[in-house]
Amino acid sequence: MANKMDEKLQVVYQDVLKRNPGEVEFHQAVREVLESIGPVLSKYPEFREGKIIERIAEPERQIIFRVPWQDDRGEVQINRGFRVQYNSALGPYKGGLRFHPSVYLGIVKFLGFEQIFKNALTGLPIGGGKGGSDFDPKGKSDNEVMRFCQSFMTELWRHIGDVTDVPAGDIGVGGREIGYMFGQFKRLTARYEAGVLTGKGLDYGGSLVRTEATGYGATFFVQEMLKARGADTFEGKTCTVSGSGNVAIYTIEKIVQLGGKVVACSDSNGVIVDEKGIDLELVKQLKERERRRIKDYVEYRKHAKYLHGGNIWEVPCQVAMPSATQNEINGKDAALLVKNGCIAVGEGANMPTTPEGIKVFLDAKIAYGPGKAANAGGVATSALEMQQNATRDSWTFEYTEKRLANIMKTIHQNCWETAEEFGSKGNYVVGANIAGFIRVAKAMASHGLV
Ligand code: NDP
């Protein structure tokens, strides 16, 4: 996205297209990285000779399986399960599980590919992986979700473990689903292997701050970007946060704690605009406790507006934090954001901005923090959960949040300095891709041809 792909990388990219037909999100994620790393290959010719890029683009292992389960009417349902164990150069595969009807191999591979570099950026010993299913938890009863999760784990358990592969949550997978899957893993293996899943409940091995970590971390990252632009802060800034799930909720919470005002959030049906500032307790009640839709917000806050099918990026803001899903900001949305005075974009979601949108942000020279850097706080805190599980310890909220804040600060600094070193000062896309890539590539080069 920042540099042109050189001829040799073009060949690699064409090969990726040919070997992975139809997986458009995966192509997009690979392309973005290949467009950034040209300058690294001039500095480290051994990466080219060892075909590190060709090897990174190919997952180490891809598992696809049938997930049969019975709904409340007694009818048999069949979904498809995935786990892509992408790269273990830096540690056990680590990455979430997504339950959403749009999930197919191309989505899991894009997320797994991004995860390799994100996990490398955290500086922690975790490889990259991702998984999920085309199961739709929306509208399902607790019992249906439990039966699905048990069936999903009945296959997955043989592929995971605290030193092999450690899944967590993502879209459609929160504490409830992790609990059901952990229970089934324990039952099938007869082992209390706490570090096999992260995002667990606090009473059985979960870590304080894990629930908040992705949103808090993304907000800390934006705070660092604002600071780098000239001692700016969130104080008094108008912000918009797309989505109303885990990442969105805790992004809103931290923005407010840092003095900002969030005027809009959303779900896949529509947008809530509340000029007085989104009432977070109400969003938590509706989404976390009652599992309702965001449109119900206006039942309780009459002054707010619900825009059915609306576009959140039309709401003017100084800071935008996309926290819903991939490709939710296109070129037009990005241009509108910039025109309306947006100075910083921090991605809580994975790949929420299209390549055209990224170009608009970079050309406008606003602070643009790509997901693989900005939302790395979630997986970083998962790694902290693994550390606590390994030592049978549990840390305080304050200590864990401080660790998270420090990690985000270090990721920001690493991206900033790397971008500058490779001639793209202020470009966090280049900084994140190169810094993440170098760490993984060096480890792969040390491991020989594996
Ligand atoms: P949740 O399932 O908790 O929430 C997802 C939110 O995004 C919901 O409000 C949902 O609305 C909305 N959404 C999902 N799909 C779409 C869509 N196609 N169009 C519009 N809105 C949509 O997921 P998370 O908050 O955990 O994840 C959000 C993003 O953050 C994802 O990109 C995920 O990969 C990324 N992420 C999550 C991490 C985590 O720790 N959870 C870590 C790092 C990244 P609706 O209810 O209508 O579907």
Side-chain angles (χ1 to χ4, degrees), residues 142-182:
D142 272 356
N143 272 326
E144 288 176 323
V145 171
M146 181 181 74
R147 285 196 292 273
F148 174 80
C149 288
Q150 290 179 338
S151 181
F152 185 83
M153 187 51 83
T154 301
E155 172 60 32
L156 190 67
W157 74 272
R158 70 189 79 245
H159 307 291
I160 61 176
D162 63 1
V163 293
T164 32
D165 183 357
V166 184
D170 190 80
I171 291 179
V173 178
R176 172 182 63 170
E177 291 75 16
I178 293 290
Y180 292 148
M181 287 191 273
F182 185 74

Side-chain angles (χ1 to χ4, degrees), residues 419-434:
E420 194 162 18
E421 182 189 341
F422 286 88
S424 296
K425 190 172 175 192
N427 184 328
Y428 294 97
V429 178
V430 167
N433 285 334
I434 293 186

Side-chain angles (χ1 to χ4, degrees), residues 5-152:
M5 222 190 277
D6 75 20
E7 249 170 58
K8 286 187 183 143
L9 287 172
Q10 268 292 348
V11 174
V12 177
Y13 183 59
Q14 290 307 321
D15 199 45
V16 167
L17 295 183
K18 210 162 68 198
R19 289 165 67 84
N20 305 278
E23 296 175 0
V24 289
E25 298 84 0
F26 175 57
H27 302 162
Q28 185 182 333
V30 173
R31 184 184 180 132
E32 190 208 275
V33 171
L34 296 190
E35 281 177 342
S36 294
I37 60 172
V40 185
L41 301 178
S42 321
K43 191 165 169 194
Y44 298 94
E46 64 272 27
F47 292 164
R48 213 183 294 258
E49 283 148 27
K51 297 222 165 147
I52 296 284
I53 299 138
E54 289 86 335
R55 281 155 61 194
I56 281 190
E58 186 68 20
E60 289 176 16
R61 195 170 298 106
Q62 306 179 53
I63 302 147
I64 304 181
F65 51 98
R66 180 173 66 199
V67 189
W69 58 282
Q70 217 168 14
D71 68 20
D72 285 346
R73 290 167 305 163
E75 203 171 305
V76 173
Q77 303 285 342
I78 292 116
N79 285 98
R80 189 171 284 177
F82 301 88
R83 186 72 186 165
V84 173
Q85 298 181 330
Y86 220 119
N87 192 298
S88 60
L90 297 175
Y93 309 106
K94 182 88 198 82
L97 297 169
R98 177 177 291 192
F99 292 169
H100 192 271
S102 63
V103 168
Y104 76 107
L105 190 57
I107 292 267
V108 181
K109 277 162 69 180
F110 120 62
L111 290 164
F113 185 75
E114 291 267 302
Q115 196 84 46
I116 304 170
F117 307 102
K118 179 190 309 193
N119 293 4
L121 284 172
T122 66
L124 297 163
I126 39 179
K130 199 83 189 188
S133 172
D134 57 1
F135 172 73
D136 186 359
K138 245 179 255 157
K140 304 286 190 300
S141 70
D142 272 356
N143 272 326
E144 288 176 323
V145 171
M146 181 181 74
R147 285 196 292 273
F148 174 80
C149 288
Q150 290 179 338
S151 181
F152 185 83

Side-chain angles (χ1 to χ4, degrees), residues 98 138 170-172 210 214 244-247 268 293 324-325 350:
R98 177 177 291 192
K138 245 179 255 157
D170 190 80
I171 291 179
R210 176 61 190 90
T214 307
S244 48
N246 171 266
V247 178
S268 55
R293 309 297 297 161
T325 194
N350 284 308

